[in-house]
Amino acid sequence: IYLKNNFVEKARKFFNTALKINDQYIDSYNNLGACLLELEKLDEAKKVFNSAYNIDKKNVSTLINLANVLSLQDNNVQAVKYYNEALSLDPSNQEIISNLAICYCRDSKEEEAKIFYDKAIKINPYDYKLMYAYCTLQLKLNKFDTSWELFDSRLLIEKNKDKLNNFDLVKNNLFNNLKINSKDNLLVLREQGIGEEILFSSIYPEIINKFENLKIEAEKRLVPIFNRSFGKNIFVEDGYYSKNSTVSDFNKIAYAGSLIKFFRKTKDDFDYLNYLTPRKDIVSNYKEKLSAHKDKLKIGISWKSVVNIYGNLKSLSIKDFEPLFNEQRVIINLQYGDID
């Protein structure tokens, strides 16, 4: 109950106690490992799952858990081995088939991924996590015609859907139902992460040219950047309309990423031009500061993530960068947050 309600440390304490009472009870190991995965302690989780595996090498849950942690550690070869062991014991288990497909997607093995993708989707046509993994593989292979059809599945993954503002406003516009006329009053909503928002903003010039009545919500730090860069005062802070009764003024609402399918149909539709414009006064200020180091290579570093669900897995220690520091280089701090 604690684990399901996200009181992970409390749950962890009870599972540890349970193992002291009975160190042969497989479920306690699997549940303890699940806690450690939530806490992003992958090495510890793997150790716990291995303990369960040593007690019973034919426990399907243990095999799946071991494979999951190996997959998160990018050890897809070993992950596939354990998934296949589990599949031999439970051949119609959709979770195993789906996870095998995801592993092959991560490894860019298209043929194997498609085999398991087709099997998994046949069993569960609403496996949105799998759809999104398969979509990213298709994008990687420049197969845009098939990939964009699956791209909105990113919004339907439960953990993502819970974080999206006003999902109910746009759910009827997802997938192929999204039909917009150039004269429609269109509200474009931001995606959940600022990185995705900046990435998807590359289509804003085309959206601006196509739609006459347009407003775009953005993370508040991006509003002045977008208004300046795209030459239109149509950007407002996240929630300005979507959390207000004025949202009824719009007859079409969509997330930015859901509009990509209309503007990026082939690889040739992507250009590699800069599209964000910095403030000239700030640029001049930094150029002046850095001119004192004109003979040195200037390297900006950012080394940790504190808001992402896998923040710890994506982060480094500042000491990890020590080999970069020498007299020929100037290292510039680009890290947000507490960096003392």
Side-chain angles (χ1 to χ4, degrees), residues 218-234:
E219 208 274 349
K220 64 181 179 180
R221 291 170 292 176
L222 292 175
V223 171
I225 298 172
F226 285 166
N227 279 326
R228 176 176 65 245
S229 300
F230 301 121
K232 288 275 187 178
N233 196 29
I234 58 170

Side-chain angles (χ1 to χ4, degrees), residues 83-174:
Y83 282 136
N84 278 322
E85 282 186 34
L87 195 62
S88 68
L89 298 166
D90 190 356
S92 60
N93 187 309
Q94 196 272 347
E95 181 186 359
I96 302 169
I97 297 167
S98 173
N99 286 348
L100 270 166
I102 291 171
C103 260
Y104 286 126
C105 286
R106 287 175 177 162
D107 241 4
S108 298
K109 293 184 176 175
E110 185 184 13
E111 288 184 21
E112 294 90 337
K114 186 174 189 320
I115 290 167
F116 285 97
Y117 173 82
D118 289 341
K119 285 181 181 178
I121 290 297
K122 193 171 181 180
I123 299 169
N124 176 14
Y126 304 105
D127 188 339
Y128 300 118
K129 185 179 176 184
L130 173 57
M131 286 182 193
Y132 185 58
Y134 194 64
C135 166
T136 60
L137 173 62
Q138 297 297 303
L139 286 171
K140 193 174 181 181
L141 298 171
N142 296 327
K143 295 186 175 180
F144 300 109
D145 53 338
T146 51
S147 56
W148 292 139
E149 292 173 16
L150 298 170
F151 191 55
D152 278 334
S153 58
R154 76 198 185 283
L155 304 170
L156 299 171
I157 299 168
E158 283 304 317
K159 69 178 183 182
N160 292 346
K161 192 166 68 173
D162 291 344
K163 293 175 186 173
L164 290 167
N165 288 334
N166 304 295
F167 179 77
D168 288 340
L169 289 172
V170 295
K171 64 183 179 184
N172 294 327
N173 283 332
L174 296 179

Side-chain angles (χ1 to χ4, degrees), residues 40 303-316 336:
E40 300 178 13
W303 61 91
K304 65 179 179 178
S305 174
V306 296
V307 295
N308 190 280
I309 187 170
Y310 291 127
N312 290 337
L313 301 180
K314 292 163 55 180
S315 299
L316 296 165
Y336 63 84

